[in-house]
Amino acid sequence: MTIKDTPEEWEIRGTKTPFTGKKTSVRTDEVVMPGGAVVSRDYQVHPGSVAVLALDDADRVVVLRQYRHPVRQKLWEIPAGLLDVPGENPLHAAQRELYEEAHVKAEDWRVLADVYTTPGGCDEAVRIFLARGLSEAEGDRFAVEDEEADMELSRVPVDELVRGVLAGELQNNCLVVGALSLVAARAGDGLDALRPAEAPWPARPFEA
């Protein structure tokens, strides 16, 4: 048996958007259940995101520490950001985020994992890239503001990240998925067998 997620869409009898924010909104759909009942389902509508597990030649990952108000914590994360434009090439967005948040560029890009962060309540899809062949980016550093103005930047060995994940000390979704996917890929067919950087992404279609 092949285990694979498959597209499906149940009938929607009505929909409304009770809240619209700067980047996301909340939608309420009236969905027909298999037994015929119609129930309300509220969820956050999200443009999608990209994240970058940037791995240097010393087997360290570029990480940053940032305040996240909804969970009232400073979390260690990998560089990440929104797909600002519908249909935006996710690789280009990932390269932009790595430059803006870490002032780093990379020569080799692969797709590490595609995930839905919280599919029970949000349609956010995230593509996590593996970036290798790191070097300092050219030009001025990106001007930061708000939470990013307090951001800390570091490089942490892969083994230390995995230890922190399994100990419950590191909880950011993209960092957890990225670090464990990296270890799994190494234990499997190797990093060079990962999908190419512009592999199709049905959750957020784009033109290469």
Side-chain angles (χ1 to χ4, degrees):
M1 181 180 68
T2 300
I3 298 177
K4 183 178 180 180
D5 297 335
T6 55
E8 183 167 343
E9 187 167 351
W10 293 358
E11 181 185 353
I12 298 173
R13 293 280 176 85
T15 186
K16 58 184 179 180
T17 305
F19 170 80
T20 300
K22 183 178 179 181
K23 294 290 185 178
T24 66
S25 61
V26 173
R27 181 177 298 163
T28 301
D29 289 341
E30 302 297 324
V31 186
V32 180
M33 296 290 106
V38 179
V39 300
S40 295
R41 290 290 179 260
D42 303 320
Y43 59 100
Q44 182 184 20
V45 179
H46 194 285
S49 306
V50 293
V52 185
L53 192 140
L55 185 68
D56 70 14
D57 293 338
D59 208 41
R60 300 175 304 173
V61 175
V62 176
V63 292
L64 49 94
R65 189 170 180 242
Q66 187 171 345
Y67 176 66
R68 293 302 187 183
H69 185 71
V71 296
R72 308 299 198 272
Q73 290 195 47
K74 273 193 170 182
L75 300 179
W76 283 103
E77 308 177 351
I78 57 178
L82 298 175
L83 291 169
D84 292 331
V85 181
E88 181 179 15
N89 188 312
L91 174 60
H92 299 167
Q95 291 169 333
R96 179 186 68 234
E97 293 300 331
L98 185 60
Y99 165 75
E100 290 181 357
E101 295 193 344
H103 202 67
V104 167
K105 62 181 180 180
E107 295 299 321
D108 185 84
W109 291 82
R110 311 276 173 149
V111 175
L112 192 53
D114 294 329
V115 296
Y116 290 113
T117 54
T118 49
C122 180
D123 71 351
E124 181 184 14
V126 182
R127 169 156 280 188
I128 304 174
F129 290 90
L130 172 66
R132 294 179 291 173
L134 307 186
S135 61
E136 192 77 5
E138 301 169 355
D140 296 332
R141 285 188 172 272
F142 183 75
V144 296
E145 58 184 9
D146 300 328
E147 289 92 343
E148 292 182 349
D150 189 50
M151 197 165 60
E152 303 171 46
L153 195 64
S154 186
R155 297 194 182 196
V156 177
V158 173
D159 289 347
E160 178 62 16
L161 290 182
V162 173
R163 184 209 63 77
V165 168
L166 298 180
E169 298 169 357
L170 299 172
Q171 301 171 74
N172 174 265
N173 181 287
C174 292
L175 185 150
V176 171
V177 173
L180 298 186
S181 295
L182 175 69
V183 172
R186 282 176 165 173
D189 295 331
L191 301 184
D192 290 335
L194 290 168
R195 287 173 290 160
E198 294 189 305
W201 189 17
R204 293 294 184 274
F206 65 93
E207 291 188 11

